[in-house]
Amino acid sequence: MFEYPLTIAAESEPFLLSDGRSLSEDLFPSAYDPGVRMASLRGVDAAHLVLADLDLWECLFTGTVHLDQLRLEGACTFNSAPSAVHWRRWPPVRFTERRVLAEEHHWRAGQPGSVPGWVLGTGRAGPLQLAPVYRALRKAFEDQKHEPGAADFYYGEMEMRRHADDIPRSERALLTAYWALSGYGLRASRALAWLGTAMFLTIVLLMAFGLAQETPKQTATGTVPAGGGKVTFEIDKDDPQNPTGDRFTGKRFEKALNVTFNSVVFRSSGQDLTTAGTYIEMTSRVAEPILLGLAVLAIRNRVKR
């Protein structure tokens, strides 16, 4: 416990001896580089602690007291998730690049079917223990008004919540859908990819089943009274007919594209649709604006201050 503020910082330049020579830093030949590393903060009360320009790749944070009050300044570096695509398993898996804690590396490396890149270590913390650690570090970054820096720790917190054993299946399914669609509102490319897929599927379904064969024509019928007088007309419109023949034409594609783009911005296109086309448009008018909103949210979370 530190009773007063304490800063642990690394100097970027070598220390100089009295004769002007640089102090040798090869006293620890087993180290992968001469940088200053923090090995563990377990059991430390971090309320008055400041870390600056330190290597936190292998630092253990579980068990730190007042971790949300820890201040990180300068170029404090964390470990990262493996970014290679692993095709030798089904489904193929690729972890998006983000800062992760060493303890998450240890936990994932110890799971059955773990992909290469996760490093096995001495940490034995699981999702239940790591979720509050990520939450505390996220709060520490947010208190320093570093919202983009807190995004990776929010992602890690949500990942630990999704893998924890104490949540019901319904909540896990909801978190899995949120992760798959937009990376917890932090991966705009993922949301835009789903939006493009949904728009393409909508266009194909409309061309195949949704657009009417021809634009229904209006007809007017009237009855002339036997003794003369006013003629009353009734204007009716035929029901849209299901398409037949060649459905994938340039004209039908243009109409389907018009319907789809209007659905993205939650508008009705006014096109004549079959019964199936009406339900396809209703579904797209709900799903596609949600995906667009998730993409905007992800961009906002990455650039806000």
Side-chain angles (χ1 to χ4, degrees):
M1 178 182 293
F2 309 113
E3 297 184 5
Y4 301 97
L6 171 68
T7 298
I8 302 177
E11 288 290 339
S12 58
E13 299 295 333
F15 292 102
L16 298 178
L17 300 176
S18 57
D19 57 1
R21 293 183 295 110
S22 297
L23 178 67
S24 175
E25 296 190 38
D26 57 359
L27 300 178
F28 305 98
S30 61
Y32 61 88
D33 63 46
V36 181
R37 291 182 290 165
M38 180 68 67
S40 174
L41 286 177
R42 286 181 172 179
V44 174
D45 188 336
H48 299 292
L49 182 61
V50 179
L51 303 181
D53 301 319
L54 298 185
D55 183 346
L56 302 177
W57 271 59
E58 300 177 2
C59 184
L60 304 179
F61 288 92
T62 306
T64 307
V65 183
H66 294 144
L67 184 57
D68 60 322
Q69 300 180 36
L70 174 69
R71 291 186 61 86
L72 300 175
E73 298 181 353
C76 288
T77 58
F78 288 84
N79 213 324
S80 59
S83 57
V85 182
H86 301 277
W87 299 100
R88 295 185 178 181
R89 51 169 293 166
W90 184 259
V93 63
R94 176 183 180 273
F95 294 93
T96 54
E97 186 176 353
R98 61 182 175 92
R99 286 177 289 185
V100 301
L101 301 182
E103 289 148 308
E104 183 179 347
H105 263 271
H106 303 164
W107 171 73
R108 288 189 182 273
Q111 297 301 300
S114 174
V115 301
W118 296 108
V119 181
L120 189 63
T122 58
R124 292 294 179 267
L128 285 174
Q129 294 77 31
L130 289 176
V133 175
Y134 273 114
R135 187 179 306 118
L137 288 173
R138 172 177 62 84
K139 184 178 183 300
F141 272 77
E142 290 175 345
D143 290 344
Q144 299 174 45
K145 307 302 180 183
H146 190 0
E147 297 286 351
D152 284 344
F153 297 107
Y154 172 73
Y155 194 103
E157 176 191 352
M158 297 296 287
E159 277 286 272
M160 295 302 101
R161 283 184 56 196
R162 185 167 68 90
H163 290 287
D165 297 329
D166 64 337
I167 64 172
R169 290 184 178 180
S170 57
E171 183 178 346
R172 178 176 285 109
L174 181 62
L175 290 176
T176 301
Y178 192 27
W179 161 77
L181 292 176
S182 65
Y184 308 113
L186 294 172
R187 301 294 185 261
S189 58
R190 193 176 303 181
L192 291 174
W194 279 110
L195 177 61
T197 302
M199 292 176 65
F200 175 77
L201 183 61
T202 301
I203 291 174
V204 172
L205 291 176
L206 286 173
M207 293 177 67
F209 309 105
L211 295 176
Q213 179 68 20
E214 296 179 354
T215 302
K217 298 180 180 180
Q218 291 183 339
T219 58
T221 59
T223 302
V224 180
K230 295 183 178 180
V231 180
T232 303
F233 287 96
E234 291 184 2
I235 299 178
D236 198 6
K237 189 176 184 180
D238 295 335
D239 293 331
Q241 300 297 315
N242 290 326
T244 58
D246 188 6
R247 306 179 185 189
F248 298 94
T249 62
K251 186 176 181 180
R252 291 177 63 82
F253 173 78
E254 183 179 354
K255 290 182 179 180
L257 188 64
N258 184 26
V259 174
T260 303
F261 274 120
N262 278 280
S263 298
V264 173
V265 293
F266 209 74
R267 291 178 54 191
S268 177
S269 63
Q271 292 282 350
D272 294 305
L273 303 174
T274 63
T275 302
T278 301
Y279 285 107
I280 293 171
E281 184 188 33
M282 290 170 58
T283 303
S284 64
R285 287 179 64 186
V286 173
E288 290 166 7
I290 291 176
L291 294 172
L292 180 61
L294 288 175
V296 174
L297 175 65
I299 296 174
R300 171 62 178 146
N301 286 334
R302 283 297 183 180
V303 300
K304 69 179 180 181
R305 286 292 185 267

